[in-house]
Amino acid sequence: MLLVVLTVSTPALANHPGELLDETMAAKEPAFEPADRRPPAIELRTVDDLEFDLHDLEDKVVVLTFLPEGCGPPCADQQALLVEVQEAIEITPMRDMISFVTVASPDSPVAPSANDANWLTVTPRDPEAVAEMSAEWAELSSRGGEEPMAYVLDRGARQAGIFHGTSFAWVNMVLYINGLTNAHPPESGLLDRIWDLFQ
């Protein structure tokens, strides 16, 4: 069923990257919101004493979530929904173009993924870092609210679509990702190259 949906829907989304893709998804999915500014960077050291830099995944579309301490059932439910997204993507050519990243506090309920090879769970050494990053990224949204947000970042992390809470249809996130993977990778402009120097 999903393959049929993707086959039918691909021309409508894939040939119209950027704002039109966002507008199309916003009309289709009430829980979707396009972000109107460049997402923040993430550079941290993990509890395993490893360095993580979101910039290292700039050649992929990234689905990013935060699991701060005390988030509880809403975050657990969203993670379970994202597993459905990942399972759907695993049977398509997109599977090698996507990375799922969850930045989690040590006691957060991380759902088992369909494929650990493209789902990274990162636990920062600083216990306050998850809540701080989650709040910083939430500023991309004009809706506010307490629901957890899932951020879908285009290659190069130059734009983000936000899926709020757990009410979105997983197939709509798959279609949004499909539109991003079919679009030409964004080329770095002068401002992007200057920005990258300070990352």
Side-chain angles (χ1 to χ4, degrees):
M1 176 68 177
L2 174 64
L3 291 177
V4 172
V5 171
L6 287 177
T7 302
V8 172
S9 302
T10 296
L13 295 178
N15 295 325
H16 304 286
E19 290 181 14
L20 192 53
L21 174 62
D22 288 344
E23 290 170 3
T24 302
M25 185 52 60
K28 176 189 287 286
E29 174 56 70
F32 174 81
E33 175 190 13
D36 61 1
R37 64 185 180 87
R38 188 182 178 112
I42 296 180
E43 297 178 24
L44 57 85
R45 187 168 290 279
T46 72
V47 290
D48 301 323
D49 204 33
L50 300 174
E51 291 183 0
F52 174 80
D53 187 345
L54 187 61
H55 189 72
D56 292 339
L57 298 174
E58 67 175 4
D59 61 331
K60 296 190 180 269
V61 172
V62 175
V63 179
L64 174 69
T65 52
F66 296 93
L67 300 182
E69 186 176 352
C71 184
C75 285
D77 292 345
Q78 187 183 73
Q79 292 292 293
L81 185 55
L82 292 176
V83 169
E84 292 185 56
V85 173
Q86 187 195 35
E87 288 173 347
I89 285 173
E90 282 296 301
I91 61 172
T92 74
M94 294 185 288
R95 67 183 171 272
D96 298 323
M97 303 180 218
I98 313 297
S99 284
F100 291 79
V101 176
T102 300
V103 181
S105 59
D107 299 325
S108 296
V110 179
S113 65
N115 178 2
D116 289 338
N118 72 348
W119 194 316
L120 303 172
T121 300
V122 181
T123 303
R125 179 187 289 176
D126 177 1
E128 305 297 322
V130 182
E132 290 170 2
M133 285 184 285
S134 179
E136 182 181 16
W137 278 72
E139 291 178 6
L140 291 175
S141 172
S142 61
R143 295 186 186 179
E146 297 298 317
E147 292 184 316
M149 300 179 206
Y151 305 88
V152 182
L153 309 178
D154 196 2
R155 286 166 291 186
R158 290 181 175 84
Q159 72 180 47
I162 305 169
F163 286 80
H164 291 263
T166 59
S167 63
F168 63 87
W170 61 264
V171 70
N172 284 337
M173 181 180 279
V174 173
L175 289 172
Y176 186 71
I177 292 169
N178 184 55
L180 293 176
T181 58
N182 278 285
H184 296 295
E187 294 184 13
S188 295
L190 177 60
L191 290 177
D192 288 320
R193 291 195 293 271
I194 292 171
W195 176 267
D196 289 341
L197 290 174
F198 292 97
Q199 296 291 319

